[in-house]
Amino acid sequence: MSSKTFYPALIFTLLIFLAACGQNDSAEPHGADEARGMLEEGKYESKATKDEEGTEQAISVSEDIHMNVISFVEEDDDKFVSMHYPEFEVKEMDMLIEAFAREKLDVFNTLLSSENISDKFTPQFNMTFQTNELSENVFALQFDIDSYISEDVTFNESEVIMVNKDTRTILTGEELFGSDDESREILYNVLLENMKNNSNLAGYVDEEHLRNWVFEPTNAFTNVRFTTDSAIFTFSQSEIAAAAAGAPVVTVDLDDIRNALANNITALIDGEYMSSERAEDEDVEEAVEKPGEYEIRDLDPNSKMIALTFDDGPDNELTPEVLERLSNYEARATFFLLGTKVNLFPDVVENIVNAGHEVGNHTWSHKDLTTISFNEITEEIVQTNEAIIDAVNVAPVVYRAPFGANNDEVDQYITLKNVDWDIDSEDWLTHNPAAINEMVRANVDDGKIVLMHDIHRETVDSLDEMLSFLTAEGYEFVTVSEILHYKGEYGVE
Ligand code: ZN
């Protein structure tokens, strides 16, 4: 669990969520049923759009709106969960986003409980997000969600939430669709056509009810959600089709309904957001300067050394505090970064590198590499190295597999050196500075690598004591490349 916990008020937030941007009147979050339905119909396909927008359109969060990332990384015997979503310190918006993320995890857990899980496979849930500037005052949060239920059952989806920077609110369906008759007529025709072409719905469409629904002046379009290229309408049973059709889900191409959207939204969908070619063009024009690498310092090989490592960052709030603690002891460390967060907080990465620390690759989205394909592994690693090079023009030469899960097969695909750890501080488990220090104290020795995470407040709080103790014991704080250089291979593998 990260420094933020999910409150007991979750049920409340879910209710608010459903009322504000969820379903009409269904009592259950739509996600689980829908996901199951889509799984059965084979509609979950690999996403085509992941990160095609590239880094160019990431919002400058520091200038426009303050953003933190809530990270929830959990490993146990049953499953791996890695979930990252934004927090803007705007209460209503944060509640909706948290409820959204929570609901996606609930879908995963529901699917998990309905599957027979083999002992050999660890199911995992993975959620990352990126920000894309849509217009001067609107940006999109694109959530990429990958779930691995079993060897045969996986699903991916990309969902988009649009945020109005000026009002600091999530755009509602009401704001997204044009209110004039012409816009509504377009929407009606597209929905009708889609339903008629859908063999599950074709015979059941209630055209009059559908028309009334579309043209209803008070329609707030709360049943619509967006992906990068489609709008998905989820209706209640009997709302616009005969009861026998169940609760219809109608997916339409954004292209088809662009003229049904409010003017400012049409402009943004027609604009940069949907054009990945433009981002690629800009890439080509960038000056190419060969990236540097971490330089190993000239140290006395006989001195006692320890390598502190911090995974799962950079964090907008906590990483700077870690840097401050380290600098008080002139300690160097290694930060194994998630590409998705490098993309969000390049300034923090710059501060890490400028302070003399080493940066390593911890993949893009923290997936268990042993369960994904060669192409996905490559994407996870390459994309992250590129993001780090983009941010600081330094190329990592080390990587750490998420959850420490790797094998020879994975390693042979990755040219970076895999670096595990000798001492797990268990900060992710205990969330207790005294316990964290006890783990380190009990296991410390010359040449050891310590695993910590700069996404937990308690880890930051453990550092003063740790640095002070290890200094008193005569340890020099070095990076992983340095410890491997001077002390040779460590005990793992
Ligand atoms: Zn990790």
Side-chain angles (χ1 to χ4, degrees):
M1 199 70 108
S2 77
S3 54
K4 301 284 169 181
T5 49
F6 295 113
Y7 317 110
L10 176 65
I11 291 169
F12 174 71
T13 61
L14 268 173
L15 286 174
I16 296 282
F17 176 61
L18 290 171
C21 70
Q23 297 310 291
N24 303 321
D25 50 9
S26 89
E28 192 191 320
H30 70 283
D33 275 346
E34 187 187 320
R36 258 179 257 119
M38 290 178 91
L39 275 174
E40 278 156 22
E41 290 167 34
K43 274 193 191 153
Y44 276 115
E45 291 162 6
S46 70
K47 60 197 164 297
T49 50
K50 184 165 181 175
D51 197 50
E52 274 178 7
E53 279 71 44
T55 56
E56 273 70 24
Q57 292 144 42
I59 56 165
S60 50
V61 286
S62 54
E63 285 165 34
D64 300 325
I65 184 167
H66 184 73
M67 182 174 79
N68 301 320
V69 178
I70 305 299
S71 285
F72 179 80
V73 179
E74 188 185 72
E75 50 177 306
D76 60 31
D77 294 341
D78 301 334
K79 60 181 182 245
F80 290 148
V81 172
S82 171
M83 179 160 81
H84 310 278
Y85 58 88
E87 182 193 67
F88 297 96
E89 291 169 12
V90 178
K91 203 175 167 193
E92 287 204 355
M93 197 156 79
D94 291 342
M95 275 168 40
L96 294 178
I97 291 169
E98 183 186 329
F100 166 83
R102 215 32 225 215
E103 189 200 322
K104 294 295 177 189
L105 182 59
D106 287 346
V107 172
F108 168 74
N109 285 327
T110 306
L111 289 169
L112 214 55
S113 61
S114 64
E115 283 282 323
N116 288 326
I117 308 301
S118 85
D119 290 345
K120 285 185 205 144
F121 187 87
T122 308
Q124 61 169 313
F125 174 84
N126 188 284
M127 173 191 280
T128 59
F129 75 97
Q130 54 185 318
T131 56
N132 292 296
E133 187 110 38
L134 295 184
S135 69
E136 219 164 88
N137 51 9
V138 178
F139 65 87
L141 297 169
Q142 181 186 326
F143 292 87
D144 293 317
I145 301 143
D146 296 345
S147 293
Y148 302 78
I149 307 294
S150 68
E151 268 139 334
D152 307 321
V153 183
T154 67
F155 65 87
N156 315 308
E157 56 180 334
S158 289
E159 201 161 315
V160 173
I161 291 178
M162 297 184 201
V163 176
N164 184 326
K165 271 192 261 179
D166 290 344
T167 58
R168 315 217 152 179
T169 53
I170 288 172
L171 288 179
T172 63
E174 205 167 14
E175 292 168 280
L176 293 168
F177 288 99
S179 55
D180 56 294
D181 283 356
E182 203 180 325
S183 301
R184 298 286 163 103
E185 189 68 40
I186 292 167
L187 180 60
Y188 169 72
N189 284 320
V190 172
L191 283 170
L192 183 62
E193 196 185 325
N194 267 271
M195 293 175 77
K196 282 184 169 173
N197 288 333
N198 180 331
S199 56
N200 294 327
L201 299 173
Y204 300 110
V205 191
D206 182 336
E207 294 186 26
E208 194 188 331
H209 276 86
L210 178 62
R211 181 165 261 282
N212 289 343
W213 180 83
V214 169
F215 281 88
E216 171 57 53
T218 60
N219 188 345
F221 296 96
T222 54
N223 67 334
V224 188
R225 58 199 180 82
F226 288 85
T227 72
T228 47
D229 53 12
S230 64
I232 301 166
F233 296 76
T234 308
F235 295 97
S236 304
Q237 191 169 23
S238 303
E239 191 176 12
I240 47 94
V249 176
V250 185
T251 303
V252 304
D253 283 352
L254 276 186
D255 274 347
D256 292 340
I257 57 163
R258 72 176 56 215
N259 292 330
L261 297 169
N263 282 338
N264 57 332
I265 307 298
T266 314
L268 63 90
I269 285 171
D270 282 342
E272 289 190 0
Y273 184 48
M274 291 301 156
S275 158
S276 55
E277 286 157 46
R278 194 178 148 166
E280 282 162 20
D281 286 350
E282 282 169 10
D283 266 347
V284 176
E285 283 163 25
E286 265 174 35
V288 183
E289 189 192 336
K290 195 180 181 310
E293 284 177 11
Y294 181 79
E295 277 185 37
I296 292 171
R297 290 171 294 171
D298 206 2
L299 302 169
D300 174 4
N302 297 316
S303 65
K304 282 163 77 176
M305 294 181 193
I306 188 149
L308 304 181
T309 66
F310 298 92
D311 291 11
D312 299 354
D315 187 271
N316 204 21
E317 279 186 352
L318 298 178
T319 306
E321 293 188 39
V322 170
L323 293 176
E324 201 185 312
R325 303 288 195 290
L326 293 172
S327 78
N328 291 338
Y329 288 83
E330 292 176 11
R332 288 209 188 176
T334 306
F335 293 79
F336 286 98
L337 307 173
L338 288 177
T340 180
K341 290 189 186 175
V342 170
N343 219 8
L344 294 168
F345 304 123
D347 294 355
V348 180
V349 184
E350 207 174 336
N351 291 339
I352 293 172
V353 169
N354 287 344
H357 305 292
E358 181 168 11
V359 287
N361 186 321
H362 197 38
T363 75
W364 184 259
S365 62
H366 212 277
K367 286 176 191 160
D368 175 353
L369 299 178
T370 64
T371 62
I372 61 179
S373 69
F374 163 70
N375 283 343
E376 282 178 286
I377 293 173
T378 308
E379 191 181 298
E380 286 282 324
I381 296 290
V382 168
Q383 218 180 329
T384 303
N385 256 41
E386 281 174 358
I388 294 171
I389 291 168
D390 272 354
V392 289
N393 206 39
V394 168
V397 294
V398 291
Y399 89 96
R400 175 171 284 162
F403 310 106
N406 78 323
N407 52 34
D408 291 346
E409 208 181 333
V410 170
D411 259 351
Q412 79 184 23
Y413 295 140
I414 302 174
T415 53
L416 308 182
K417 179 159 191 53
N418 177 41
V419 178
D420 282 317
W421 57 86
D422 305 301
I423 305 171
D424 183 351
S425 71
E426 293 188 352
D427 58 346
W428 54 275
L429 185 64
T430 63
H431 290 278
N432 179 322
I436 293 166
N437 271 298
E438 188 44 41
M439 283 302 289
V440 174
R441 216 178 268 258
N443 296 291
V444 69
D445 204 354
D446 183 21
K448 299 265 180 188
I449 297 172
V450 182
L451 169 68
M452 290 184 278
H453 300 82
D454 51 339
I455 56 168
H456 304 309
R457 161 64 50 199
E458 301 83 0
T459 305
V460 178
D461 292 344
S462 73
L463 285 178
D464 280 333
E465 190 187 327
M466 190 184 302
L467 290 159
S468 160
F469 165 76
L470 292 170
T471 302
E473 290 287 308
Y475 282 97
E476 187 144 11
F477 300 99
V478 302
T479 69
V480 293
S481 283
E482 287 169 338
I483 217 156
L484 295 178
H485 177 78
Y486 289 109
K487 302 293 177 182
E489 290 296 312
Y490 43 98
V492 190
E493 283 192 285

